[in-house]
Amino acid sequence: MEINATTRVKVAKKKPTGTTKKSTANGTKKTSKGIATKQSVAPKLIPNQLASEEQRNALKSSSKEEQLNLVMGLMKQSMGEEPFLAQHAVPHKKSTAQSRGTAAADLAEAVRTLDPKVR
């Protein structure tokens, strides 16, 4: 056999051995061998500032302006915008998923506390 620029050589391809994953509708993944693995699930949101009944009652008894400031501050925190301190030179930590989740849980508790129609 003569080899030149137009010669083509066929190479046999190996078939994959059961490592491919397919996602299903219920949040699990199945490999081609049929073994189902659970995908990660988001943790439950736990409030921090409004965790106790005393804290929620204090929010109810505060003035409308203080309530609005608290709700707006929690909204900004849940979106990842940390409130600036009076001293800008003080180092502050970055927003994390856990801190945003805690702020979102606090925001939900504040809304439930201030508006009895929300449940």
Side-chain angles (χ1 to χ4, degrees):
M1 178 167 142
E2 190 176 315
I3 298 175
N4 57 28
T6 59
T7 305
R8 294 187 181 213
V9 178
K10 290 188 178 182
V11 178
K13 293 182 182 178
K14 292 183 180 181
K15 292 186 178 182
T17 58
T19 57
T20 59
K21 293 183 179 181
K22 297 177 184 177
S23 56
T24 61
N26 63 354
T28 59
K29 288 187 176 185
K30 275 190 173 179
T31 61
S32 61
K33 291 184 178 181
I35 302 169
T37 59
K38 188 75 175 165
Q39 291 180 354
S40 62
V41 178
K44 290 189 176 188
L45 300 178
I46 300 170
N48 185 21
Q49 293 179 5
L50 299 174
S52 70
E53 192 65 36
E54 294 171 356
Q55 293 167 328
R56 290 189 288 269
N57 288 336
L59 175 64
K60 280 183 186 178
S61 64
S62 63
S63 69
K64 292 286 184 189
E65 185 177 323
E66 289 173 348
Q67 292 173 355
L68 181 64
N69 287 338
L70 178 74
V71 169
M72 291 303 291
L74 290 172
M75 181 65 155
K76 287 179 181 180
Q77 281 181 339
S78 66
M79 300 300 272
E81 181 182 331
E82 291 295 322
F84 285 106
L85 301 173
Q87 303 161 349
H88 292 288
V90 176
H92 56 280
K93 62 182 181 178
K94 214 157 105 174
S95 170
T96 62
Q98 185 176 9
S99 66
R100 291 189 301 271
T102 302
D106 282 329
L107 180 62
E109 284 297 325
V111 170
R112 280 191 207 122
T113 302
L114 297 175
D115 191 3
K117 297 179 210 171
V118 177
R119 271 286 143 195

